[in-house]
Amino acid sequence: MQDKSFYEEISDGVKYFFNQYFKIDLSENLFTFLEVVIWIAILFILDFILRAIILPILRKIKNFIENDWMIFLYRNKVFVSLIHLIPISFALSMNQILFRDDGNVYIVIQRITELISLIVFTQLIFRVINTIIDIYNVENSYTTVGVRTFGQMMKFMITFFSIISGIMILFTVDKNTIITVLGALIAAVLLIFRDAIFGFVSGLQISYSKIVKVGDWITISKGDIEGIVKEININLVKIEKFDKSIATVPTVDLVSSQVTNHMPMMATGTRQIKRSISFNVNSFQFCNEDMLNRFEDIALIHQYIQQKRHEISIYNQNIENSDLDINGKNLTNIGVFRIYVDCYLKSLKTVSQKDPIIVKQLPVSPLGMPLEIGCFTTSANNLEFERIQSDIFDHLLTACRKFDLEIMQSFSLSDFKKL
């Protein structure tokens, strides 16, 4: 008589027990079904016991060492996936012993186990990639963009090859056949992953060139989008605009279009004002004595007017018909106002005196002659910047009347009533 294995003796004993005491005749199919159910239950119980023992220990270690890697590995459930692999590996080695006499059953169970192990292993790699991305997100540097896009590209590739491996496991497809088919469909594969490849390359360029990172305030010329970068993925960039709406643009746009990053400006603690006031050229005139007397009473330009009056009087002594405005040297109201604006900006504590202060005339147009004011505020904060800018132009728009200057604007009904 051929010797039976330990497992075969247990199986015969179980069948005899149910037949003798419960009068239940366990057929081969029913007994095999019960074997599979009990085997699955054992694996689940083993997985539960391992998690109940190992995870609390790892949690205490995490709280004790307070290491970022340990914290994010635990948070992303990397250890849970590793624990899942233990009963799965045990099942892969025991299936042959338990079901070797049931040919078809063994093949089905073994393939399902291999497929589950593939899914769990793929999940483990995904969670490790998420952990690496989270570590670099804490750092939030330009390298983070490259790591994030590289990690997402790896997910695409792993998912693709996991599906191919799953097909090979389920249908017993030869790997050479798969490679041959992929070679024939390489153009279709590249077309499918075209956006992902472009996004991946763009992410690496962004990381290498240090163009932008999460949290930066940027302006994209394409679409005239301005706001704070909230997320940079392999395909899309999420930007929170200042009205709290979210705009999404392709990652490629950060490389292919003009992008202005305002963060270097914010780092200096200053912010540029560059605005202009358009004046009616018909209000420009040479300054007479009455006007100069009035201008001399203005504290900011008091010394300037005195100095210029002295220079003009000396220069015009040798000029024939110097009483005529156009002869000799004379001041103009727009020129004096330009000096006043320069002195006014230099007197403000809210305007940076270390940076250039430029007041210049722009070319005359049908809308008048613009006088452009360029300077830097001592605060880069949005609210503070707008307040400083408004205060400056409130003053200048009102002060220009003291110089007999007219601002160009459209006529309203009240303006016609005054005529």
Side-chain angles (χ1 to χ4, degrees):
M1 184 176 179
Q2 186 179 3
D3 292 337
K4 293 184 178 181
S5 66
F6 177 72
Y7 173 72
E8 289 174 338
E9 291 180 0
I10 292 178
S11 300
D12 291 342
V14 171
K15 291 178 183 178
Y16 176 79
F17 176 79
F18 275 90
N19 188 24
Q20 185 72 21
Y21 294 99
F22 296 98
K23 305 301 180 182
I24 298 175
D25 185 15
L26 293 177
S27 63
E28 288 297 325
N29 292 336
L30 179 60
F31 185 76
T32 302
F33 174 76
L34 291 176
E35 280 183 310
V36 173
V37 172
I38 293 172
W39 180 230
I40 293 173
I42 291 173
L43 293 175
F44 271 101
I45 291 171
L46 176 61
D47 182 80
F48 176 79
I49 292 173
L50 289 173
R51 285 188 287 117
I53 295 174
I54 298 174
L55 288 180
I57 297 174
L58 292 174
R59 187 185 303 114
K60 291 182 180 180
I61 295 174
K62 171 183 72 75
N63 295 333
F64 178 75
I65 63 176
E66 294 183 352
N67 180 270
D68 287 342
W69 280 99
M70 190 68 181
I71 292 172
F72 284 112
L73 285 171
Y74 187 87
R75 184 181 300 174
N76 287 307
K77 299 183 178 180
V78 174
F79 299 118
V80 175
S81 295
L82 286 171
I83 293 172
H84 288 333
L85 289 176
I86 297 174
I88 291 173
S89 301
F90 179 65
L92 287 172
S93 60
M94 291 297 294
N95 284 343
Q96 185 176 6
I97 299 174
L98 297 176
F99 304 103
R100 64 183 177 182
D101 294 331
D102 302 317
N104 293 331
V105 175
Y106 167 71
I107 292 173
V108 172
I109 291 177
Q110 189 70 3
R111 288 182 181 178
I112 291 175
T113 307
E114 290 175 357
L115 186 62
I116 293 173
S117 66
L118 175 65
I119 294 172
V120 173
F121 187 71
T122 302
Q123 184 188 55
L124 171 63
I125 297 176
F126 274 31
R127 288 177 174 177
V128 171
I129 291 173
N130 290 336
T131 300
I132 296 172
I133 292 173
D134 289 343
I135 291 291
Y136 278 91
N137 281 340
V138 172
E139 181 183 342
N140 192 23
S141 64
Y142 294 101
T143 308
T144 305
V145 180
V147 171
R148 189 180 185 86
T149 53
F150 182 78
Q152 290 175 335
M153 188 64 186
M154 289 294 296
K155 287 183 180 180
F156 274 111
M157 296 177 62
I158 291 168
T159 302
F160 178 74
F161 285 108
S162 295
I163 293 173
I164 299 299
S165 301
I167 294 173
M168 293 173 62
I169 291 171
L170 288 177
F171 303 103
T172 320
V173 181
D174 184 63
K175 61 181 180 180
N176 293 326
T177 304
I178 290 290
I179 293 172
T180 303
V181 173
L182 286 178
L185 298 176
I186 189 67
V189 172
L190 290 176
L191 183 62
I192 293 171
F193 290 100
R194 184 191 64 176
D195 293 339
I197 294 171
F198 285 166
F200 170 66
V201 174
S202 299
L204 293 182
Q205 287 180 321
I206 292 168
S207 175
Y208 177 76
S209 304
K210 298 182 179 180
I211 300 172
V212 65
K213 65 180 186 296
V214 174
D216 283 0
W217 167 24
I218 66 171
T219 302
I220 302 178
S221 60
K222 187 177 180 180
D224 194 22
I225 298 172
E226 183 177 5
I228 306 298
V229 177
K230 289 299 181 181
E231 187 176 335
I232 302 177
N233 292 321
I234 195 169
N235 290 323
L236 294 174
V237 177
K238 294 182 180 179
I239 300 173
E240 182 180 303
K241 300 166 74 174
F242 293 117
D243 61 358
K244 298 300 181 181
S245 62
I246 299 294
T248 57
V249 297
T251 308
V252 181
D253 283 356
L254 293 184
V255 180
S256 60
S257 60
Q258 180 181 345
V259 178
T260 302
N261 193 331
H262 302 280
M263 297 313 293
M265 173 198 69
M266 299 290 287
T268 64
T270 61
R271 188 169 169 185
Q272 186 184 36
I273 295 176
K274 193 173 184 180
R275 282 175 55 180
S276 60
I277 303 173
S278 292
F279 292 101
N280 185 350
V281 294
N282 293 325
S283 64
F284 296 171
Q285 56 183 304
F286 290 114
C287 298
N288 55 37
E289 286 298 319
D290 292 336
M291 294 174 68
L292 292 175
N293 289 333
R294 284 192 287 115
F295 296 162
E296 196 171 338
D297 292 335
I298 300 174
L300 289 175
I301 56 174
H302 173 75
Q303 286 187 328
Y304 172 78
I305 296 297
Q306 282 189 335
Q307 179 183 348
K308 283 297 180 181
R309 292 181 86 167
H310 179 69
E311 291 177 2
I312 290 172
S313 63
I314 295 175
Y315 181 85
N316 288 342
Q317 287 178 357
N318 300 321
I319 300 297
E320 188 176 352
N321 297 325
S322 59
D323 294 337
L324 189 62
D325 290 339
I326 200 170
N327 292 330
K329 183 183 290 187
N330 287 288
L331 295 175
T332 61
N333 58 346
I334 184 64
V336 174
F337 180 71
R338 178 168 50 82
I339 299 301
Y340 171 81
V341 173
D342 185 75
C343 294
Y344 173 71
L345 294 175
K346 290 179 179 178
S347 69
L348 295 177
K349 294 182 179 180
T350 53
V351 173
S352 174
Q353 306 302 318
K354 297 179 182 179
D355 296 295
I357 296 176
I358 301 173
V359 183
K360 65 178 181 179
Q361 297 178 359
L362 299 181
V364 178
S365 71
L367 299 178
M369 191 208 73
L371 186 70
E372 186 178 82
I373 291 93
C375 62
F376 289 81
T377 62
T378 54
S379 174
N381 178 271
N382 277 337
L383 294 177
E384 186 67 13
F385 169 78
E386 294 298 339
R387 184 192 66 79
I388 295 171
Q389 182 175 234
S390 298
D391 288 345
I392 290 173
F393 280 88
D394 285 347
H395 177 83
L396 295 180
L397 289 169
T398 306
C400 67
R401 299 175 186 173
K402 301 294 183 181
F403 296 84
D404 298 334
L405 293 170
E406 295 179 3
I407 297 174
M408 289 294 292
Q409 63 178 357
S410 300
F411 279 101
S412 64
L413 182 60
S414 60
D415 293 325
F416 282 109
K417 289 181 179 178
K418 294 177 182 178
L419 295 176

